Short mmCIF file of all heavy atoms in Angstrom, two decimals:
data_model
loop_
_atom_site.label_atom_id
_atom_site.label_comp_id
_atom_site.label_asym_id
_atom_site.label_seq_id
_atom_site.Cartn_x
_atom_site.Cartn_y
_atom_site.Cartn_z
N PHE B 121 -12.02 -12.28 -22.16
CA PHE B 121 -10.70 -12.79 -21.93
C PHE B 121 -9.80 -11.84 -21.17
O PHE B 121 -8.96 -12.16 -20.35
CB PHE B 121 -10.00 -13.25 -23.22
CG PHE B 121 -10.71 -14.47 -23.74
CD1 PHE B 121 -11.61 -14.31 -24.82
CD2 PHE B 121 -10.33 -15.75 -23.26
CE1 PHE B 121 -12.22 -15.45 -25.27
CE2 PHE B 121 -11.06 -16.84 -23.79
CZ PHE B 121 -11.94 -16.71 -24.89
N ILE B 122 -9.99 -10.50 -21.44
CA ILE B 122 -9.16 -9.46 -20.78
C ILE B 122 -9.51 -9.40 -19.28
O ILE B 122 -8.64 -9.11 -18.38
CB ILE B 122 -9.18 -8.21 -21.46
CG1 ILE B 122 -8.06 -7.20 -20.95
CG2 ILE B 122 -10.49 -7.42 -21.30
CD1 ILE B 122 -6.70 -7.59 -21.38
N ARG B 123 -10.81 -9.65 -19.01
CA ARG B 123 -11.20 -9.50 -17.64
C ARG B 123 -10.98 -10.69 -16.76
O ARG B 123 -10.95 -10.63 -15.54
CB ARG B 123 -12.71 -9.13 -17.55
CG ARG B 123 -13.03 -7.74 -18.10
CD ARG B 123 -14.54 -7.43 -18.01
NE ARG B 123 -14.70 -6.27 -18.76
CZ ARG B 123 -14.47 -5.00 -18.38
NH1 ARG B 123 -14.03 -4.73 -17.23
NH2 ARG B 123 -14.75 -3.98 -19.21
N ASP B 124 -10.71 -11.85 -17.39
CA ASP B 124 -10.38 -12.95 -16.56
C ASP B 124 -8.90 -12.89 -16.16
O ASP B 124 -8.04 -13.07 -16.98
CB ASP B 124 -10.54 -14.19 -17.39
CG ASP B 124 -10.51 -15.47 -16.52
OD1 ASP B 124 -9.92 -15.48 -15.41
OD2 ASP B 124 -10.97 -16.57 -16.96
N LYS B 125 -8.77 -12.63 -14.84
CA LYS B 125 -7.37 -12.40 -14.27
C LYS B 125 -6.49 -13.64 -14.40
O LYS B 125 -5.24 -13.57 -14.24
CB LYS B 125 -7.50 -11.94 -12.76
CG LYS B 125 -7.91 -10.52 -12.71
CD LYS B 125 -6.85 -9.55 -13.27
CE LYS B 125 -7.62 -8.53 -14.14
NZ LYS B 125 -6.87 -7.86 -15.15
N ASP B 126 -7.23 -14.87 -14.50
CA ASP B 126 -6.30 -16.07 -14.59
C ASP B 126 -5.58 -16.26 -15.79
O ASP B 126 -4.59 -16.75 -15.85
CB ASP B 126 -7.28 -17.31 -14.28
CG ASP B 126 -7.67 -17.43 -12.88
OD1 ASP B 126 -7.00 -16.79 -12.01
OD2 ASP B 126 -8.64 -18.26 -12.75
N ILE B 127 -6.17 -15.55 -16.85
CA ILE B 127 -5.59 -15.74 -18.14
C ILE B 127 -4.38 -14.79 -18.22
O ILE B 127 -4.45 -13.61 -17.88
CB ILE B 127 -6.52 -15.42 -19.26
CG1 ILE B 127 -7.67 -16.52 -19.33
CG2 ILE B 127 -5.87 -15.42 -20.67
CD1 ILE B 127 -8.73 -16.28 -20.28
N GLY B 128 -3.26 -15.32 -18.55
CA GLY B 128 -2.02 -14.47 -18.64
C GLY B 128 -1.87 -13.74 -19.91
O GLY B 128 -2.52 -12.78 -20.22
N TYR B 129 -0.94 -14.32 -20.71
CA TYR B 129 -0.67 -13.61 -21.90
C TYR B 129 -1.24 -14.42 -23.11
O TYR B 129 -1.03 -15.57 -23.28
CB TYR B 129 0.93 -13.69 -21.96
CG TYR B 129 1.50 -13.04 -23.15
CD1 TYR B 129 1.71 -11.61 -23.17
CD2 TYR B 129 1.88 -13.75 -24.31
CE1 TYR B 129 2.22 -11.04 -24.31
CE2 TYR B 129 2.45 -13.13 -25.40
CZ TYR B 129 2.59 -11.85 -25.34
OH TYR B 129 3.10 -11.09 -26.43
N LEU B 130 -2.16 -13.77 -23.71
CA LEU B 130 -2.84 -14.37 -24.81
C LEU B 130 -2.51 -13.91 -26.18
O LEU B 130 -2.48 -12.66 -26.51
CB LEU B 130 -4.43 -14.14 -24.53
CG LEU B 130 -5.46 -15.11 -25.01
CD1 LEU B 130 -5.11 -16.52 -24.24
CD2 LEU B 130 -6.73 -14.70 -24.69
N THR B 131 -2.09 -14.80 -27.09
CA THR B 131 -1.95 -14.36 -28.49
C THR B 131 -3.16 -14.73 -29.36
O THR B 131 -3.79 -15.74 -29.15
CB THR B 131 -0.74 -15.22 -29.04
OG1 THR B 131 0.31 -15.23 -28.08
CG2 THR B 131 -0.24 -14.77 -30.36
N ILE B 132 -3.44 -13.78 -30.19
CA ILE B 132 -4.78 -13.86 -30.88
C ILE B 132 -4.47 -14.13 -32.45
O ILE B 132 -3.52 -13.65 -33.00
CB ILE B 132 -5.65 -12.68 -30.78
CG1 ILE B 132 -5.87 -12.45 -29.24
CG2 ILE B 132 -6.94 -12.80 -31.49
CD1 ILE B 132 -6.70 -11.17 -29.08
N ALA B 133 -5.22 -14.93 -33.00
CA ALA B 133 -5.28 -15.15 -34.50
C ALA B 133 -6.64 -15.26 -35.10
O ALA B 133 -7.57 -15.67 -34.25
CB ALA B 133 -4.38 -16.31 -34.82
N ILE B 134 -6.80 -14.69 -36.24
CA ILE B 134 -8.02 -14.84 -36.90
C ILE B 134 -7.90 -15.93 -38.14
O ILE B 134 -6.84 -15.86 -38.75
CB ILE B 134 -8.56 -13.53 -37.47
CG1 ILE B 134 -9.06 -12.71 -36.23
CG2 ILE B 134 -9.54 -13.64 -38.48
CD1 ILE B 134 -9.67 -11.34 -36.55
N THR B 135 -8.83 -16.71 -38.23
CA THR B 135 -8.70 -17.69 -39.40
C THR B 135 -10.04 -17.64 -40.20
O THR B 135 -11.13 -17.48 -39.70
CB THR B 135 -8.52 -19.02 -38.80
OG1 THR B 135 -8.58 -19.99 -39.82
CG2 THR B 135 -9.54 -19.48 -37.78
N PRO B 136 -9.93 -17.71 -41.47
CA PRO B 136 -11.01 -17.83 -42.31
C PRO B 136 -11.76 -19.23 -42.25
O PRO B 136 -12.86 -19.43 -42.55
CB PRO B 136 -10.51 -17.63 -43.70
CG PRO B 136 -9.05 -17.94 -43.60
CD PRO B 136 -8.61 -17.73 -42.24
N ASP B 137 -10.91 -20.23 -41.59
CA ASP B 137 -11.37 -21.59 -41.57
C ASP B 137 -11.96 -21.76 -40.16
O ASP B 137 -12.30 -20.77 -39.54
CB ASP B 137 -10.16 -22.53 -41.79
CG ASP B 137 -9.49 -22.25 -43.06
OD1 ASP B 137 -10.18 -22.22 -44.09
OD2 ASP B 137 -8.23 -22.02 -43.04
N SER B 138 -12.22 -22.95 -39.73
CA SER B 138 -12.82 -23.30 -38.56
C SER B 138 -11.67 -23.25 -37.39
O SER B 138 -10.69 -23.89 -37.52
CB SER B 138 -13.43 -24.68 -38.56
OG SER B 138 -13.63 -25.03 -37.27
N ALA B 139 -11.97 -22.49 -36.36
CA ALA B 139 -11.03 -22.44 -35.31
C ALA B 139 -10.91 -23.77 -34.63
O ALA B 139 -9.85 -24.19 -34.20
CB ALA B 139 -11.48 -21.35 -34.34
N LYS B 140 -11.99 -24.46 -34.54
CA LYS B 140 -11.96 -25.81 -33.85
C LYS B 140 -11.08 -26.74 -34.65
O LYS B 140 -10.32 -27.54 -34.02
CB LYS B 140 -13.40 -26.30 -33.82
CG LYS B 140 -13.56 -27.69 -33.06
CD LYS B 140 -14.90 -28.07 -33.04
CE LYS B 140 -15.00 -29.50 -32.44
NZ LYS B 140 -16.41 -30.08 -32.35
N GLU B 141 -11.12 -26.54 -35.97
CA GLU B 141 -10.27 -27.62 -36.72
C GLU B 141 -8.84 -27.28 -36.57
O GLU B 141 -7.93 -28.08 -36.55
CB GLU B 141 -10.73 -27.30 -38.23
CG GLU B 141 -10.23 -28.57 -39.04
CD GLU B 141 -10.66 -28.39 -40.56
OE1 GLU B 141 -11.49 -27.59 -40.82
OE2 GLU B 141 -10.09 -29.11 -41.38
N LEU B 142 -8.54 -25.91 -36.45
CA LEU B 142 -7.16 -25.51 -36.30
C LEU B 142 -6.64 -26.01 -35.03
O LEU B 142 -5.51 -26.56 -34.94
CB LEU B 142 -7.15 -23.95 -36.21
CG LEU B 142 -6.18 -23.18 -37.13
CD1 LEU B 142 -6.72 -23.17 -38.47
CD2 LEU B 142 -5.92 -21.80 -36.59
N LEU B 143 -7.36 -25.98 -33.86
CA LEU B 143 -6.95 -26.42 -32.63
C LEU B 143 -6.85 -28.01 -32.73
O LEU B 143 -5.90 -28.51 -32.04
CB LEU B 143 -7.94 -26.06 -31.54
CG LEU B 143 -8.10 -24.54 -31.22
CD1 LEU B 143 -9.15 -24.39 -29.99
CD2 LEU B 143 -6.86 -23.94 -30.78
N THR B 144 -7.70 -28.61 -33.46
CA THR B 144 -7.68 -30.07 -33.43
C THR B 144 -6.34 -30.49 -34.21
O THR B 144 -5.75 -31.49 -33.73
CB THR B 144 -8.95 -30.72 -34.18
OG1 THR B 144 -10.05 -30.02 -33.65
CG2 THR B 144 -8.92 -32.19 -34.17
N ILE B 145 -6.12 -29.87 -35.30
CA ILE B 145 -4.86 -30.21 -35.98
C ILE B 145 -3.58 -29.96 -35.09
O ILE B 145 -2.67 -30.77 -35.14
CB ILE B 145 -4.75 -29.35 -37.32
CG1 ILE B 145 -5.81 -29.89 -38.24
CG2 ILE B 145 -3.35 -29.62 -37.97
CD1 ILE B 145 -6.00 -28.88 -39.50
N SER B 146 -3.64 -28.93 -34.50
CA SER B 146 -2.38 -28.53 -33.59
C SER B 146 -2.28 -29.51 -32.46
O SER B 146 -1.16 -29.92 -32.05
CB SER B 146 -2.68 -27.14 -33.03
OG SER B 146 -2.23 -26.96 -31.71
N SER B 147 -3.51 -30.13 -31.93
CA SER B 147 -3.35 -31.00 -30.81
C SER B 147 -2.93 -32.35 -31.29
O SER B 147 -2.43 -33.19 -30.32
CB SER B 147 -4.71 -31.09 -30.05
OG SER B 147 -5.65 -31.74 -30.89
N GLN B 148 -3.01 -32.59 -32.55
CA GLN B 148 -2.71 -33.90 -33.04
C GLN B 148 -1.20 -34.10 -33.38
O GLN B 148 -0.78 -35.16 -33.72
CB GLN B 148 -3.51 -34.29 -34.32
CG GLN B 148 -4.95 -34.75 -33.90
CD GLN B 148 -5.93 -34.66 -35.06
OE1 GLN B 148 -5.60 -34.42 -36.23
NE2 GLN B 148 -7.16 -35.11 -34.84
N ALA B 149 -0.56 -32.97 -33.40
CA ALA B 149 0.91 -33.08 -33.61
C ALA B 149 1.55 -33.87 -32.69
O ALA B 149 1.40 -33.82 -31.52
CB ALA B 149 1.54 -31.55 -33.64
N THR B 150 2.39 -34.84 -33.17
CA THR B 150 3.14 -35.83 -32.29
C THR B 150 4.23 -35.12 -31.48
O THR B 150 4.43 -35.46 -30.27
CB THR B 150 3.65 -36.96 -33.06
OG1 THR B 150 4.44 -36.54 -34.16
CG2 THR B 150 2.58 -37.95 -33.60
N GLN B 151 4.90 -34.16 -32.06
CA GLN B 151 5.89 -33.57 -31.29
C GLN B 151 5.74 -31.97 -31.41
O GLN B 151 5.06 -31.60 -32.25
CB GLN B 151 7.26 -33.85 -31.99
CG GLN B 151 7.78 -35.23 -31.75
CD GLN B 151 9.03 -35.45 -32.41
OE1 GLN B 151 9.81 -34.61 -32.91
NE2 GLN B 151 9.39 -36.74 -32.66
N ASP B 152 6.20 -31.29 -30.54
CA ASP B 152 6.09 -29.84 -30.53
C ASP B 152 4.64 -29.30 -30.67
O ASP B 152 4.17 -28.84 -31.70
CB ASP B 152 6.90 -29.25 -31.66
CG ASP B 152 7.09 -27.69 -31.47
OD1 ASP B 152 6.62 -27.24 -30.32
OD2 ASP B 152 7.46 -27.02 -32.36
N LYS B 153 3.86 -29.61 -29.53
CA LYS B 153 2.55 -29.18 -29.60
C LYS B 153 2.46 -27.67 -29.47
O LYS B 153 1.24 -27.15 -29.58
CB LYS B 153 1.85 -29.96 -28.41
CG LYS B 153 1.70 -31.40 -28.76
CD LYS B 153 0.66 -32.10 -27.82
CE LYS B 153 0.87 -33.64 -27.79
NZ LYS B 153 0.36 -34.11 -29.10
N ASP B 154 3.50 -27.01 -29.20
CA ASP B 154 3.43 -25.48 -29.10
C ASP B 154 3.65 -24.80 -30.44
O ASP B 154 3.87 -23.75 -30.54
CB ASP B 154 4.50 -25.04 -28.03
CG ASP B 154 4.03 -25.29 -26.63
OD1 ASP B 154 2.84 -25.26 -26.37
OD2 ASP B 154 4.93 -25.46 -25.81
N SER B 155 3.68 -25.58 -31.47
CA SER B 155 3.82 -25.10 -32.77
C SER B 155 2.89 -24.02 -33.12
O SER B 155 3.18 -23.02 -33.90
CB SER B 155 3.73 -26.23 -33.88
OG SER B 155 2.48 -26.83 -33.83
N LEU B 156 1.65 -24.08 -32.68
CA LEU B 156 0.64 -23.09 -33.04
C LEU B 156 1.02 -21.80 -32.41
O LEU B 156 1.04 -20.68 -33.11
CB LEU B 156 -0.68 -23.65 -32.45
CG LEU B 156 -1.96 -22.67 -32.84
CD1 LEU B 156 -2.11 -22.72 -34.30
CD2 LEU B 156 -3.25 -23.30 -32.19
N LEU B 157 1.51 -21.81 -31.22
CA LEU B 157 1.96 -20.67 -30.52
C LEU B 157 3.14 -19.94 -31.26
O LEU B 157 3.15 -18.81 -31.57
CB LEU B 157 2.27 -20.87 -29.11
CG LEU B 157 2.87 -19.69 -28.27
CD1 LEU B 157 1.86 -18.65 -28.05
CD2 LEU B 157 3.37 -20.17 -26.94
N ARG B 158 3.99 -20.90 -31.64
CA ARG B 158 5.20 -20.34 -32.27
C ARG B 158 4.87 -19.85 -33.61
O ARG B 158 5.49 -18.73 -34.03
CB ARG B 158 6.14 -21.54 -32.50
CG ARG B 158 7.66 -21.13 -32.30
CD ARG B 158 8.62 -22.32 -32.41
NE ARG B 158 8.26 -23.43 -31.67
CZ ARG B 158 8.25 -23.61 -30.36
NH1 ARG B 158 8.83 -22.66 -29.60
NH2 ARG B 158 7.86 -24.79 -29.88
N LEU B 159 3.88 -20.37 -34.27
CA LEU B 159 3.57 -19.94 -35.56
C LEU B 159 3.00 -18.47 -35.57
O LEU B 159 3.34 -17.61 -36.31
CB LEU B 159 2.40 -20.71 -36.15
CG LEU B 159 2.71 -21.87 -37.21
CD1 LEU B 159 1.43 -22.45 -37.51
CD2 LEU B 159 3.27 -21.11 -38.39
N ILE B 160 2.30 -18.23 -34.47
CA ILE B 160 1.71 -16.89 -34.38
C ILE B 160 2.79 -15.87 -33.73
O ILE B 160 3.15 -14.92 -34.34
CB ILE B 160 0.40 -16.76 -33.56
CG1 ILE B 160 -0.55 -17.91 -33.88
CG2 ILE B 160 -0.27 -15.51 -33.71
CD1 ILE B 160 -1.69 -18.11 -32.95
N SER B 161 3.15 -16.29 -32.53
CA SER B 161 3.84 -15.20 -31.85
C SER B 161 5.36 -15.06 -32.29
O SER B 161 5.81 -14.01 -32.58
CB SER B 161 3.86 -15.47 -30.36
OG SER B 161 4.56 -16.70 -30.09
N TYR B 162 6.04 -16.20 -32.52
CA TYR B 162 7.33 -16.01 -32.77
C TYR B 162 7.53 -15.52 -34.21
O TYR B 162 8.27 -14.58 -34.53
CB TYR B 162 7.97 -17.44 -32.61
CG TYR B 162 9.59 -17.34 -32.91
CD1 TYR B 162 10.47 -17.10 -31.98
CD2 TYR B 162 9.99 -17.70 -34.28
CE1 TYR B 162 11.76 -17.08 -32.16
CE2 TYR B 162 11.33 -17.78 -34.43
CZ TYR B 162 12.24 -17.43 -33.48
OH TYR B 162 13.59 -17.44 -33.74
N ASN B 163 6.76 -16.18 -35.08
CA ASN B 163 6.90 -15.66 -36.50
C ASN B 163 6.52 -14.17 -36.66
O ASN B 163 7.30 -13.49 -37.31
CB ASN B 163 5.94 -16.62 -37.51
CG ASN B 163 6.59 -17.95 -37.65
OD1 ASN B 163 7.66 -18.26 -37.11
ND2 ASN B 163 5.90 -18.70 -38.44
N ASN B 164 5.42 -13.95 -36.08
CA ASN B 164 5.05 -12.52 -36.20
C ASN B 164 6.01 -11.51 -35.72
O ASN B 164 6.19 -10.50 -36.29
CB ASN B 164 3.71 -12.34 -35.44
CG ASN B 164 2.49 -12.74 -36.30
OD1 ASN B 164 2.56 -13.50 -37.13
ND2 ASN B 164 1.35 -12.07 -36.01
N GLU B 165 6.54 -11.89 -34.55
CA GLU B 165 7.45 -10.89 -33.86
C GLU B 165 8.82 -10.90 -34.62
O GLU B 165 9.28 -9.68 -34.83
CB GLU B 165 7.72 -11.33 -32.37
CG GLU B 165 8.21 -10.22 -31.61
CD GLU B 165 8.24 -10.29 -30.22
OE1 GLU B 165 7.45 -11.27 -29.62
OE2 GLU B 165 9.04 -9.69 -29.49
N TYR B 166 9.32 -11.98 -34.96
CA TYR B 166 10.64 -11.91 -35.55
C TYR B 166 10.72 -11.88 -36.97
O TYR B 166 11.70 -11.38 -37.52
CB TYR B 166 11.44 -13.14 -35.01
CG TYR B 166 11.92 -13.03 -33.57
CD1 TYR B 166 11.24 -13.64 -32.56
CD2 TYR B 166 12.88 -12.10 -33.24
CE1 TYR B 166 11.55 -13.55 -31.28
CE2 TYR B 166 13.17 -11.96 -31.89
CZ TYR B 166 12.58 -12.59 -30.98
OH TYR B 166 12.90 -12.47 -29.61
N ILE B 167 9.71 -12.31 -37.59
CA ILE B 167 9.77 -12.36 -39.14
C ILE B 167 9.00 -11.27 -39.73
O ILE B 167 9.39 -10.49 -40.55
CB ILE B 167 9.37 -13.72 -39.74
CG1 ILE B 167 10.36 -14.84 -39.14
CG2 ILE B 167 9.29 -13.68 -41.20
CD1 ILE B 167 9.87 -16.15 -39.41
N PHE B 168 7.81 -11.07 -39.20
CA PHE B 168 6.97 -9.97 -39.72
C PHE B 168 6.81 -8.83 -38.97
O PHE B 168 6.22 -7.81 -39.36
CB PHE B 168 5.52 -10.70 -39.93
CG PHE B 168 5.52 -11.95 -40.68
CD1 PHE B 168 5.06 -13.12 -40.10
CD2 PHE B 168 6.05 -12.03 -42.01
CE1 PHE B 168 5.03 -14.24 -40.84
CE2 PHE B 168 6.07 -13.21 -42.68
CZ PHE B 168 5.56 -14.38 -42.12
N GLY B 169 7.40 -8.80 -37.79
CA GLY B 169 7.56 -7.63 -36.97
C GLY B 169 6.29 -7.09 -36.35
O GLY B 169 6.14 -5.88 -36.31
N THR B 170 5.20 -7.91 -36.14
CA THR B 170 3.97 -7.44 -35.55
C THR B 170 3.79 -8.19 -34.19
O THR B 170 4.35 -9.21 -33.95
CB THR B 170 2.83 -7.66 -36.36
OG1 THR B 170 2.79 -8.98 -36.77
CG2 THR B 170 2.97 -6.91 -37.66
N GLU B 171 2.82 -7.66 -33.53
CA GLU B 171 2.52 -8.30 -32.16
C GLU B 171 1.02 -8.51 -32.12
O GLU B 171 0.22 -7.53 -32.20
CB GLU B 171 2.98 -7.43 -30.96
CG GLU B 171 3.12 -8.11 -29.71
CD GLU B 171 3.48 -7.15 -28.61
OE1 GLU B 171 4.36 -6.29 -28.79
OE2 GLU B 171 2.92 -7.29 -27.47
N SER B 172 0.62 -9.77 -32.11
CA SER B 172 -0.83 -10.06 -32.19
C SER B 172 -1.36 -10.60 -30.86
O SER B 172 -1.77 -11.76 -30.68
CB SER B 172 -1.03 -10.97 -33.35
OG SER B 172 -2.56 -11.33 -33.47
#
Side-chain angles (χ1 to χ4, degrees):
Chain B
F121 292 99
I122 192 76
R123 291 183 193 279
D124 189 341
K125 285 296 133 201
D126 284 346
I127 295 175
Y129 182 82
L130 210 58
T131 310
I132 303 178
I134 284 183
T135 178
D137 306 305
S138 161
K140 182 178 175 181
E141 199 177 347
L142 232 77
L143 292 183
T144 311
I145 291 168
S146 146
S147 68
Q148 284 164 358
T150 47
Q151 290 175 16
D152 192 12
K153 295 195 191 294
D154 284 329
S155 54
L156 190 58
L157 175 66
R158 216 178 316 282
L159 259 178
I160 314 169
S161 66
Y162 183 86
N163 285 1
N164 273 28
E165 195 170 339
Y166 286 105
I167 300 171
F168 307 119
T170 55
E171 200 182 318
S172 180

